[in-house]
Amino acid sequence: MEETKVLNKRLRFLILLIAFAKRMKISHLPNSLPLNGAVRIELVEGVPIFRASSLVQGRIEVLLTKQKESALTSEEEKELDEYE
């Protein structure tokens, strides 16, 4: 019984994820984004929530802090823009 509930939850999640993916199209991921473990997906009240890994969050924080203190290089600006 419990296994059936878990499987049903996973199936509903996958259906929602597929529906979401069909609506959103992105051209590319940032080159600096490490694909393995970069994003985790959590289901919150039936809605898939994409959360960046601590590594990705840390890189964004480094770039934002540097941007406040001094000018970013054009490469860093491009990288930061790609995270948006």
Side-chain angles (χ1 to χ4, degrees):
M1 184 75 157
E2 187 63 35
E3 286 182 13
T4 303
K5 286 182 181 180
V6 170
L7 288 175
N8 284 338
K9 260 186 169 177
R10 287 181 180 171
L11 182 58
R12 284 193 307 267
F13 171 75
L14 288 174
I15 290 169
L16 284 170
L17 187 58
I18 290 167
F20 177 78
K22 285 183 178 181
R23 290 185 187 142
M24 297 265 317
K25 290 187 179 180
I26 57 174
S27 60
H28 68 282
L29 296 172
N31 292 333
S32 60
L33 183 69
L35 296 179
N36 188 15
V39 176
R40 74 176 184 279
I41 305 168
E42 299 174 5
L43 191 59
V44 178
E45 296 180 14
V47 178
I49 306 295
F50 294 81
R51 300 201 190 275
S53 70
S54 58
L55 179 67
V56 172
Q57 289 178 18
R59 179 63 182 153
I60 293 169
E61 287 176 20
V62 165
L63 291 170
L64 290 173
T65 300
K66 183 176 179 184
Q67 186 180 45
K68 288 178 185 176
E69 296 170 355
S70 63
L72 294 175
T73 66
S74 60
E75 197 171 286
E76 290 168 329
E77 276 288 344
K78 184 178 177 183
E79 179 184 354
L80 187 57
D81 288 344
E82 289 176 344
Y83 284 115
E84 294 179 358

